[in-house]
C-alpha cells in the first residue's frame, strides 16, 4: 500500500478515484505544527523556531502515523506554494519519515497526478526557509510590538502586524486625503452639431502653472462660438487585446467587481473548484498558460467558431513574481459550467472566459477625431475644439465576454465616444454649430478603496504575496481596524485603526513603512531562491524592532479622554449603532453617544448617597425619557455591572433599597 498525504480533505475522494487500488490518500488538514500560542517561540541569536503540534494537528498526526505504519512508500502531495512546501517538511519531521517522496501537481487530473508520481523529488528546503522567515517575522512584530501598543495608544488589546498594519495605513491615508480634499470648480465649453459634439481645448487659455480654467465668463464667450472650419479629420483603427488569464490577485479583483465576492469567499470557492478537479491551482502570480492549455483552447475555439489570434499571446509577469506554475485556468476547457454552489459556478465562468478569451483576436474600433477652429479669435488666441467618435467594428474576444478590467471612468469615456457619431469631414470645410453650452465641472476627491482596489494597491506596492491577500483583508476587518461604509462597498478606517497606525508612525517603526515591507518581501523571495538566508533576514528585523522599541513614544494625552477617568475613549459599534466607550472598561463603564464620528455630550452621572448593598460599589441612576412608542426607563443600577447585577427602582429620584 502506498500513501499519499495532501493538505485538504476535499481532494481525497477525487485522487483516490484516479489512483485506484493499492493507494491510500489522507489529509493533513493544513498545518500540523506551528509556533506556540503563549510564547514567542523564537529567540536571538540563532532564531531557531520552537514548533509544537497544533490542537487539531495532534489528532491528525496520530491518524497519519497509523497510515504511515501501513505504507510501503509515502508521497507528500501538499500544495505548490511555500506554505505547501513547509507543510510537507513539517510532516516529514513530525512523522519521522526517512525518505518521503515529494510530488507536485497543479491540477487534479489523471494525467497530472500520474506524471507527478512518476517524477518525485525532495522537499525544497529553500522554500521552507522562506515560509519560516515569513512566519517568524510576523511573530516578532506581533509579540514584540503589540504589547506596547496599549502604552502608546492608551488601550489594551491592540495588535500590530508586519503586513496588516501597512494595509490599514493605506486605507487611513486615503481617508485623510479625502477629508483634506478641497474641490476646485472649473469650466469648459461644448458645441453641438446635431447628433455629435466637440469640446473646447482649454490649454492655450490657462495661466502658467494652472491645470483648470476658473473663468466662467470666458467659457460663456467660447460657448457662443458658431462659425468654425475644419483643421483636420483623422480616421484610424484601434485594437484592444484581451486581458491575461487570472493570477491570484486579479481573480480576487474581478470576483469583487463583477460578483461582489469578498477575497476570502473567492479563495474558498476557488479551493473547492480545484479540489473538484475543475481548475488549476489558484495561488499563482504567473499570467501565462502551458502549451497543453493552449492546444485545448485552440480546439475549443475551432469547435465554437471563435476568432483566434494568429500567434499565442504571452504576458510578462511583474518583477517579483515567483511564477511557480501557470495561470489559473480550467483543467478541461470543453466544460463551460462547473461547481456545486452558485458562487463556485459564477467564479468558474469568470475563469473559463478569461482563460479562453486570452487567445482570441483583438477587438477593433473605428475612431474618428476631428479638430475644429473658430473663425474668430478670442483675446487674440485661436479657439480650437475636438470631437471624437468610436465604434466597435470587430468584436474579437468581446464576442465571448465583456471587459472586467475597465474602471468606471474608462467605461463612461468609451460610452461617451460611442454615442458621439462624428461624421467624415474635409480639412478646410466650414460648418456652423447649432448649440453651445458651458460645462461646469468640479475636481473629485480620490475615491475610497474597495477590497479589490486595496488588493491591487498592495500588489503595486509589493506588500504581501498571492497567498496572503485574502488573509490580510480578513485580519484588518475582523480586528476592527477597517470596516465597510454604509453602502458596504468601500473600506473606511475605524477610530481604533487610526489610533494604531498613528502610534506606530509616531514611534517611527520601520515595518509600517511601505518600502521596508516591500524590501522584506523581496528578501524572502531571495531566501526561496537560495540567494539569502533565513537567519540573515530575520535578524535584520529583530535588531530594528529592538532599537525602535527603545525610543518609542508613549502618548499620555489621548485624543478623546474619558470625562470620568481620563483614559482614551474609542468608537464602537453596538446593536443600535455607534457609541463611544472607555478603554478602562470594566473598571470604568462610561459611554457617550456618537456625534458625527466624535464623542457626544457627556451627561454627568447621578450617584446615590448609599453604596450598592450587594457589593459596595456606587449606584448610578439610569434614566431615559419615552420617545413615541418606545418606553423610557428610570432605575438605579450598580456601577460594577456586569459583575454585579444589583438593580433598584427609582422613587422620588432615589433608589428604593
Amino acid at each position: 500500500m502506498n500513501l499519499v498525504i495532501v493538505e485538504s480533505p476535499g481532494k481525497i475522494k477525487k485522487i483516490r478515484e484516479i489512483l485506484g487500488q493499492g493507494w491510500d490518500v489522507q489529509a493533513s488538514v493544513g498545518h500540523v505544527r506551528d509556533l506556540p500560542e503563549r510564547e514567542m517561540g523564537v529567540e536571538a541569536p540563532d532564531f531557531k523556531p520552537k514548533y509544537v503540534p497544533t490542537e487539531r494537528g495532534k489528532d491528525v498526526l496520530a491518524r497519519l502515523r497509523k497510515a504511515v505504519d501501513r505504507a510501503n512508500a509515502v508521497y507528500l502531495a501538499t500544495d505548490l506554494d511555500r506554505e505547501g512546501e513547509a507543510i510537507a517538511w513539517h510532516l516529514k519531521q513530525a512523522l519521522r519519515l526517512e525518505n518521503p517522496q515529494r510530488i507536485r501537481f497543479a491540477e487534479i487530473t489523471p494525467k497530472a497526478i500520474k506524471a507527478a508520481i512518476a517524477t518525485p523529488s525532495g522537499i525544497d528546503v529553500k522554500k521552507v526557509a522562506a515560509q519560516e522567515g515569513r512566519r517568524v517575522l510576523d511573530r516578532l512584530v506581533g509579540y514584540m510590538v503589540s504589547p506596547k501598543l496599549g502604552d502608546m495608544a492608551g488601550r489594551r488589546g491592540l495588535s500590530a502586524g508586519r503586513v496588516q498594519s501597512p494595509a490599514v495605513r493605506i486605507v487611513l491615508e486615503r481617508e485623510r486625503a479625502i477629508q483634506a480634499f478641497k474641490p476646485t470648480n472649473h469650466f469648459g465649453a461644448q458645441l453641438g452639431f446635431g447628433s455629435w459634439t466637440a469640446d473646447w481645448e482649454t490649454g492655450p487659455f490657462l495661466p502658467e502653472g494652472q491645470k483648470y480654467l476658473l473663468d466662467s465668463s470666458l467659457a460663456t464667450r467660447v460657448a457662443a462660438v458658431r462659425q468654425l472650419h475644419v483643421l483636420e479629420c483623422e480616421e484610424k483603427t484601434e485594437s484592444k487585446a484581451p486581458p491575461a488569464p487570472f493570477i491570484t490577485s486579479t481573480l480576487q479583483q474581478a470576483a469583487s467587481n463583477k460578483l461582489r465576492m469578498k477575497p476570502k469567499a473567492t479563495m474558498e470557492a476557488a479551493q473547492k473548484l480545484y479540489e473538484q478537479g475543475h481548475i488549476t491551482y489558484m495561488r499563482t502570480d504567473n499570467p501565462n498558460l502551458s502549451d497543453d492549455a493552449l492546444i485545448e483552447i485552440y480546439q475549443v475555439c475551432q469547435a465554437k467558431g471563435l476568432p483566434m489570434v494568429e500567434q499565442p499571446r504571452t504576458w510578462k509577469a511583474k518583477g517579483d513574481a515567483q511564477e511557480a506554475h501557470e495561470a489559473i485556468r480550467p483543467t478541461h476547457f470543453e466544460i463551460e459550467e462547473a461547481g456545486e454552489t452558485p458562487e463556485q459556478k459564477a467564479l468558474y465562468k469568470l475563469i473559463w472566459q478569461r482563460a479562453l478569451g486570452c487567445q482570441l483576436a483583438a477587438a477593433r474600433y473605428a475612431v474618428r477625431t476631428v479638430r475644429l477652429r473658430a473663425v474668430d479669435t478670442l483675446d487674440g488666441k485661436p479657439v480650437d475644439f475636438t470631437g471624437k467618435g468610436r465604434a466597435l467594428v470587430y468584436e474579437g474576444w468581446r464576442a465571448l465576454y465583456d471587459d472586467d478590467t475597465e474602471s468606471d471612468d474608462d467605461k463612461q469615456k468609451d460610452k461617451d465616444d460611442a454615442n458621439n457619431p462624428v461624421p467624415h469631414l474635409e480639412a478646410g470645410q466650414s460648418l456652423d454649430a447649432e448649440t453651445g453650452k458651458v460645462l461646469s465641472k468640479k475636481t473629485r476627491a480620490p475615491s475610497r478603496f474597495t477590497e479589490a482596489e486595496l488588493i491591487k494597491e498592495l500588489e503595486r506596492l509589493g506588500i504581501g504575496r498571492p497567498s496572503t491577500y485574502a488573509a490580510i483583508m480578513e485580519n484588518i476587518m475582523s480586528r476592527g481596524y477597517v470596516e465597510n461604509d454604509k453602502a458596504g462597498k468601500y473600506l473606511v478606517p475605524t477610530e481604533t485603526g487610526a489610533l494604531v497606525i498613528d502610534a506606530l508612525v509616531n514611534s517611527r517603526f520601520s515595518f509600517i513603512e511601505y518600502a521596508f515591507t516591500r524590501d522584506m518581501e523581496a528578501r524572502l523571495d531571495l531566501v526561496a531562491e537560495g540567494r539569502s538566508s533565513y537567519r540573515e533576514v530575520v535578524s535584520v528585523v529583530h535588531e530594528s524592532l529592538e532599537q525602535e522599541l527603545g525610543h518609542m513614544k508613549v502618548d499620555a494625552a489621548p485624543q478623546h479622554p474619558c470625562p470620568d477617568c481620563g483614559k482614551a475613549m474609542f468608537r464602537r459599534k453596538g446593536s443600535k449603532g455607534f457609541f463611544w466607550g472607555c478603554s478602562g472598561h470594566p473598571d470604568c463603564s462610561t459611554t457617550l453617544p456618537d456625534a458625527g464620528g466624535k464623542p457626544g455630550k457627556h451627561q454627568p452621572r447621578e450617584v446615590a448617597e448609599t453604596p450598592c448593598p450587594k457589593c459596595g460599589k456606587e449606584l448610578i441612576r439610569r434614566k431615559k425619557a419615552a420617545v413615541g412608542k418606545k418606553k423610557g426607563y428610570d432605575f438605579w443600577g450598580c456601577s460594577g455591572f456586569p459583575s454585579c447585577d444589583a438593580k433598584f427602582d427609582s422613587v422620588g429620584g432615589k433608589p428604593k433599597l
Side-chain angles (χ1 to χ4, degrees), residues 24 63 119 146 151 207 216 235 261 274 281 290 302 319 344 355 357 415 439 471 496 613:
D24 184 18
R63 171 173 52 80
T119 56
S146 294
D151 298 329
S216 62
E235 299 195 29
M261 290 176 67
Y274 169 61
Y281 191 56
S290 66
Q302 284 183 328
Q344 292 171 24
K415 186 177 179 181
L439 301 177
T496 306

Side-chain angles (χ1 to χ4, degrees), residues 350-370:
L350 274 187
I351 295 169
W352 185 85
Q353 288 173 335
R354 278 286 279 264
L356 194 71
C358 79
Q359 298 302 323
L360 296 185
R364 293 199 300 270
Y365 300 83
V367 181
R368 182 177 288 148
T369 305
V370 61

